[in-house]
């Protein structure tokens, strides 16, 4: 199975569910897992562990799928997307001037220990001034990454250059960490206190708040972030 197959499954969901296709990401991943398993049995990995192979595929490609889903609307706002791994792994001499400046705009200052990129799957920036608007992390559940996301929000907010960068999390929330406000699960508490918000791609009804919202609010919130940033420049 390849990423293109995942996109085809998503486009099928779009034809079936329209603007609510995002609610069916977990269902899509279950269907993809079955296809991945059939393909894997034709050529199993040496450890003969399909679950491990699937986790690697899902982790890498959920991020790509989210980029596929948001790219057109983000670009319609005059913004651009770059993957964090591209900024992290590309040698400086091979990075364009634009992306080099974006990279510098999001570095965390550790004083004598240097400047380091936060762990971010997706970076959204304004190409007119090369300011970073938001960094996004994406996982199928919160437990793998949310504490780390909260840490980066705290670090970015400590520097005047990076304090306005929004730190966001996008997830199908497969273990229902975000579903209810009370009793509050640890992951939801971290989202509410230590991030700028999380957007949920799920059919499950979620008790929304200012920080926890369904994914259909993502673009309107992004537009608001930009308007606020541009308002500060006037």
């Amino acid at each position: 199975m390849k990423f293109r197959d995942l996109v085809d499954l998503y486009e099928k969901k779009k034809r079936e569910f329209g603007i609510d296709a995002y609610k069916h990401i977990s269902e899509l991943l279950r269907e993809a897992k079955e296809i991945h398993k059939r393909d894997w049995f034709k050529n199993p990995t040496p450890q003969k562990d399909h679950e491990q192979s699937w986790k690697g595929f899902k982790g890498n490609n959920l991020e790509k799928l989210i980029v596929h889903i948001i790219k057109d609307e983000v670009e319609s706002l005059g913004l651009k997307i770059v993957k964090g791994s591209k900024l992290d792994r590309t040698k400086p001499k091979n990075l364009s001037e634009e992306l080099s400046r974006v990279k510098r705009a999001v570095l965390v200052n550790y004083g004598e220990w240097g400047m380091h990129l936060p762990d971010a799957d997706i970076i959204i920036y304004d190409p007119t001034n090369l300011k970073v608007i938001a960094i996004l992390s994406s996982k199928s559940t919160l437990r793998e990454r949310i504490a780390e996301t909260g840490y980066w929000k705290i670090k970015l907010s400590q520097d005047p250059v990076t304090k306005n960068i929004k730190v966001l999390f996008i997830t199908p929330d497969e273990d229902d960490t975000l579903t209810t406000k009370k009793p509050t699960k640890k992951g939801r508490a971290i989202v509410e206190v230590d991030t700028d918000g999380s957007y949920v791609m799920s059919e499950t009804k979620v008790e929304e708040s200012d920080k926890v919202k369904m994914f259909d609010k993502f673009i309107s919130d992004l537009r608001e972030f930009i308007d606020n940033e541009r308002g500060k420049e006037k």
Side-chain angles (χ1 to χ4, degrees), residues 80-111:
K80 285 188 176 181
I81 294 173
V82 62
K83 290 177 67 176
S85 58
K86 180 169 184 174
L87 296 187
D88 194 32
R89 295 172 188 168
T90 306
K91 291 181 179 177
K93 66 179 182 181
N94 296 328
L95 211 55
S96 67
E97 181 180 348
E98 177 171 312
L99 290 183
S100 180
R101 291 174 66 183
V102 170
K103 182 176 180 177
R104 291 180 185 206
V106 76
L107 288 174
V108 173
N109 188 349
Y110 284 85

Side-chain angles (χ1 to χ4, degrees), residues 9-226:
L9 285 174
Y10 178 72
E11 294 301 324
K12 186 178 172 186
K13 297 291 180 196
K14 268 179 71 176
R15 290 193 291 276
E16 188 174 358
F17 299 107
I19 58 172
D20 288 331
Y22 73 89
K23 295 180 179 176
H24 299 270
I25 294 298
S26 291
E27 181 183 309
L28 177 155
L29 290 173
R30 287 194 294 274
E31 293 171 17
K33 184 176 182 178
E34 289 305 310
I35 298 170
H36 185 273
K37 193 171 188 176
R38 285 203 298 271
D39 289 349
W40 181 84
F41 272 114
K42 294 174 187 172
N43 186 24
T45 48
Q47 292 78 16
K48 300 189 184 304
D49 185 345
H50 172 256
E51 197 62 32
Q52 197 65 29
S53 175
W54 166 246
K55 281 182 181 176
F57 178 87
K58 184 171 76 167
N60 291 332
N61 289 292
L62 177 60
E63 170 192 323
K64 291 182 187 175
L65 184 62
I66 288 172
V67 170
H68 173 80
I69 293 169
I70 68 174
K71 188 171 185 290
D72 287 348
E73 289 199 85
V74 168
E75 290 182 350
S76 74
L77 299 176
L79 304 177
K80 285 188 176 181
I81 294 173
V82 62
K83 290 177 67 176
S85 58
K86 180 169 184 174
L87 296 187
D88 194 32
R89 295 172 188 168
T90 306
K91 291 181 179 177
K93 66 179 182 181
N94 296 328
L95 211 55
S96 67
E97 181 180 348
E98 177 171 312
L99 290 183
S100 180
R101 291 174 66 183
V102 170
K103 182 176 180 177
R104 291 180 185 206
V106 76
L107 288 174
V108 173
N109 188 349
Y110 284 85
E112 66 176 297
W113 306 107
M115 308 280 280
H116 298 278
L117 270 178
D119 294 322
D121 295 325
I122 301 162
I123 294 171
I124 297 175
Y125 68 97
D126 186 339
T128 63
N129 56 19
L130 302 182
K131 281 190 175 180
V132 174
I133 304 299
I135 65 173
L136 278 57
S137 292
S138 61
K139 290 288 177 188
S140 57
T141 65
L142 274 72
R143 65 174 180 273
E144 300 169 79
R145 181 70 75 79
I146 196 61
E148 190 178 306
T149 302
Y151 168 79
W152 290 118
K153 173 59 187 175
I154 293 168
K155 296 301 293 182
L156 290 167
S157 64
Q158 291 172 346
D159 189 317
V161 175
T162 56
K163 68 179 182 181
N164 292 325
I165 296 173
K166 301 298 182 187
V167 179
L168 307 170
F169 199 86
I170 297 179
T171 177
D173 190 27
E174 291 186 336
D175 55 4
D176 294 332
T177 299
L178 297 173
T179 304
T180 57
K181 290 183 180 176
K182 304 287 182 181
T184 314
K185 292 186 177 179
K186 181 168 63 179
R188 176 145 188 168
I190 294 171
V191 169
E192 298 282 3
V193 176
D194 292 326
T195 75
D196 290 299
S198 183
Y199 298 87
V200 183
M201 295 173 139
S202 170
E203 279 188 287
T204 305
K205 184 175 174 54
V206 172
E207 286 186 64
E208 294 184 294
S209 68
D210 289 342
K211 293 284 187 75
V212 174
K213 301 178 183 180
M214 297 304 290
F215 179 73
D216 59 339
K217 315 291 194 316
F218 172 71
I219 291 296
S220 58
D221 281 358
L222 191 60
R223 185 179 292 110
E224 189 175 327
F225 298 153
I226 303 163

